[in-house]
Amino acid sequence: MTGTSSQSSPGEAAGRDDLVAGAGAGAGAGIRVEAGAEVGDGGRARPVWSRDFALFFVARAVARLGDTMLPVALAAGLLQHGYGAGAVGLAMASTAAAFAGLVVFGGVIADRFSTRKLMIGADLVRLGTQALAAVLFYSGHVVLWEICVIGLVNGVAGAVFQPGVASTVPRLASDVQAANGAIRIAESAAQLAGPAAAGLLVGFASPGGVFAAHATTYGVSALCLLLLRLPPLIRTGAPDCTATGAFKADLVEGWREFRARTWLWGVIAVWCLYMIAVWGPTVPLVATEVVQQHGPRAYGLINSALGAGTVVGGFLALRLRPRRMLRAGAFALFAFVGFPATVGAGFGVPAMAAGAAVAGAGMSFWGVMWATSVQTQVPSDVLNRIHAYDVAGSLAMMPVGQALAGPAATALGANHVLLVSAAMSLVVPTVLLAVPAIRGLIRADARGADRPHAQDGTADAAPGRTHPERR
C-alpha cells in the first residue's frame, strides 16, 4: 500500500517517498493456465528476471534513490537561503498533500489509459520540475512559494504515477512475491545510499547539484519505462472513455470493489490506527530523542540499521512462501515493537540500532506479503483503483499521528509516548490476526492448486473476486 513510500501504506515501501512500495500468479494480469504461472506474449509463463522486469527494477531503484535524496536537498537548500524548519515542512507538505488528495483519481486514470505512458509522462514532468529547482538553487533565486508550487506539481505527477506500479509487477513476472521482494530489497538499499549521496553532493557541490541528480533519476526511470514491453492487459470489460459520467462511474466502481473485500478494507482501517498511534509519533519522536540524547551520528546509525533490516526482510520474503500471507505478515509486524520501545526505554545506541534492524525486517516482510496479496487477489482492470484507495487511505492518517506527536510528548513526555506507541505496535497485528478474513486469506496460487480449473484454463474466482459476468 499503504504510499509514496513503503512505510506509509500497508505494503509500500513508508508512506513517504521511500515508504512506497510483494509468490503467486498475478490475478487478472494474464490468462491463468496453472497455479503460479501467468501468460503474456505468446502464452508463455513469464519469469521474474526477464529483460522487462530488469528495466522496471532499475526504474524503481533509481527513482527511489532520488526520492531519498530530496529531503536532504530541500533542508540544506532552504536553510542555506535563510528559511527555517517550517519552510522545509511546508515544501514537503505541498507534495504530500497533492499526492494524497489526487491519488484516487490517478487510479481511475490508470485503469482507463496506458499505465506505462502515464508513468513515463509523470517521470518527464518531474524531470522538468526538478531541473527547474536545480536552476533556481544554482542561481540563488530561491522563493518559497515557487518551491512549493514545484512540490505541488511533483505531487500531482506522483498521484498519476503510483497507481500503475501495482498492476505493472504482475504483468512482468509470474512470481509476484519474488518480484516484490527484489524490488523491496533494491528500494531499501537505495534508502540507505540516498541520504549519504545527497550529503556528499551538498558538501562538494551545492543543493542545486542534488536537485540536478534527482532530475536525472527521473530521466533514467522514464527511459527504462520507455524501453519496457508490457504484455497486453486482459480486461473483463473495456472502459468507454467517451461515455458521459464514465469517470465518476469508474471511481464509484473502484470504491465498490474495494469495499467488497473485507480483508482489504480491514487492513486499511487497521493501518489508519497504525499511522496515528505507531508510525506517526515514532518517526519524529525517535529523531528528536536520539539526536538530543546521543547526537546526529547515532541517529544516522539507527536509521542505517532500520534500512539494513528492511533489506533482510526483503530477502526473507524471497525465501518464505506462507500459505496465508497476511497472517504471516501480521506476525512479522510484532517485530516493530523494538524500534519505539528501545528508544522510549532509554536503552543505549547498540540496543536501539538492534531494535531498529529487527523492526525494519518485520515491516519489510509485511510489506511484501501485503503487496503480493493485493496484486494477486484483485482483478487487473480495477487493480490500479484499488491500489490508489490503499495508498490514499493509509496516507490520510500519517500526518495526524505526526501532528499529535508534539502535543502528546509535551503532555506526557516523549519517552512515555514512544512506549505507548510500542504497546500499540503489538495491538495492531493482534487486531489483524483477530479478523478472520485477514488471517484466513489463502494465497492465490495455493488456492488455484487446490481447485479444479475451468475448461478455458482460468482459475475459479475466489471469494470477493469479480466474475466476468458482473462486469
Side-chain angles (χ1 to χ4, degrees):
M1 296 196 182
T2 46
T4 45
S5 109
S6 43
Q7 302 281 18
S8 56
S9 121
E12 294 227 308
R16 301 155 310 187
D17 286 338
D18 58 273
L19 284 167
V20 201
I31 299 173
R32 189 76 61 79
V33 291
E34 62 181 46
E38 169 196 340
V39 296
D41 299 330
R44 295 185 302 273
R46 302 178 65 83
V48 173
W49 285 107
S50 63
R51 166 194 176 274
D52 293 317
F53 178 74
L55 286 169
F56 186 69
F57 177 87
V58 171
R60 296 304 302 143
V62 172
R64 183 55 49 87
L65 179 67
D67 289 342
T68 58
M69 295 166 66
L70 183 58
V72 178
L74 275 175
L78 290 176
L79 292 173
Q80 191 177 90
H81 286 82
Y83 293 100
V88 177
L90 185 62
M92 293 182 179
S94 63
T95 301
F99 179 88
L102 297 175
V103 69
V104 170
F105 301 100
V108 176
I109 295 171
D111 273 331
R112 295 171 66 84
F113 301 101
S114 166
T115 55
R116 186 177 71 94
K117 291 179 180 178
L118 289 171
M119 293 163 76
I120 292 171
D123 273 342
L124 292 177
V125 168
R126 291 181 289 186
L127 167 62
T129 56
Q130 296 309 89
L132 175 60
V135 170
L136 293 177
F137 278 96
Y138 270 128
S139 66
H141 178 76
V142 178
V143 181
L144 181 59
W145 73 265
E146 293 175 345
I147 302 301
C148 289
V149 169
I150 289 174
L152 187 70
V153 175
N154 285 339
V156 174
V160 173
F161 182 99
Q162 186 62 38
V165 174
S167 63
T168 299
V169 174
R171 292 173 70 183
L172 291 176
S174 58
D175 192 340
V176 181
Q177 181 180 335
N180 280 312
I183 292 172
R184 177 58 56 90
I185 291 169
E187 291 179 340
S188 299
Q191 194 174 331
L192 282 170
L200 289 175
L201 282 173
V202 169
F204 288 101
S206 72
V210 184
F211 282 99
H214 192 199
T216 302
T217 64
Y218 285 126
V220 173
S221 176
L223 178 61
C224 289
L225 294 173
L226 183 64
L227 297 173
L228 190 66
R229 293 194 300 266
L230 282 175
L233 180 65
I234 306 301
R235 295 184 180 273
T236 55
D240 180 5
C241 296
T242 61
T244 303
F247 188 92
K248 180 180 178 181
D250 282 353
L251 193 65
V252 172
E253 182 191 24
W255 173 252
R256 184 171 62 247
E257 295 285 350
F258 176 81
R259 191 178 59 182
R261 293 166 173 80
T262 303
W263 63 269
L264 184 63
W265 64 257
V267 170
I268 300 302
V270 176
W271 208 254
C272 289
L273 172 64
Y274 191 85
M275 286 291 107
I276 294 175
V278 182
W279 185 257
T282 294
V283 172
L285 293 183
V286 164
T288 302
E289 288 298 293
V290 173
V291 170
Q292 288 180 346
Q293 300 295 326
H294 303 281
R297 289 186 179 180
Y299 180 60
L301 174 64
I302 292 169
N303 260 346
S304 296
L306 182 67
T310 62
V311 173
V312 173
F315 277 113
L316 288 174
L318 284 174
R319 302 290 299 174
L320 302 179
R321 304 280 171 149
R323 178 178 172 82
R324 290 176 171 81
M325 303 180 73
L326 295 185
R327 183 173 68 177
F331 276 116
L333 270 181
F334 282 108
F336 191 80
V337 66
F339 192 32
T342 54
V343 180
F347 290 167
V349 173
M352 289 189 285
V358 173
M363 281 292 297
S364 182
F365 186 83
W366 158 261
V368 174
M369 296 299 106
W370 170 252
T372 303
S373 296
V374 173
Q375 292 166 6
T376 57
Q377 301 282 350
V378 175
S380 61
D381 48 358
V382 293
L383 179 54
N384 293 319
R385 279 168 281 174
I386 293 294
H387 179 63
Y389 277 114
D390 163 16
V391 174
S394 304
L395 279 176
M397 294 297 106
M398 184 172 68
V400 176
Q402 292 173 330
L404 292 175
T410 301
L412 304 174
N415 287 345
H416 290 94
V417 176
L418 285 171
L419 291 175
V420 171
S421 293
M424 292 303 298
S425 71
L426 300 177
V427 171
V428 165
T430 301
V431 174
L432 290 174
L433 291 169
V435 180
I438 296 174
R439 72 170 185 268
L441 185 70
I442 300 174
R443 60 185 303 134
D445 56 351
R447 182 193 301 115
D450 291 344
R451 294 186 175 193
H453 293 285
Q455 303 237 338
D456 62 357
T458 58
D460 292 341
R465 294 279 300 281
T466 302
H467 290 275
E469 57 267 26
R470 281 182 55 193
R471 301 183 56 80

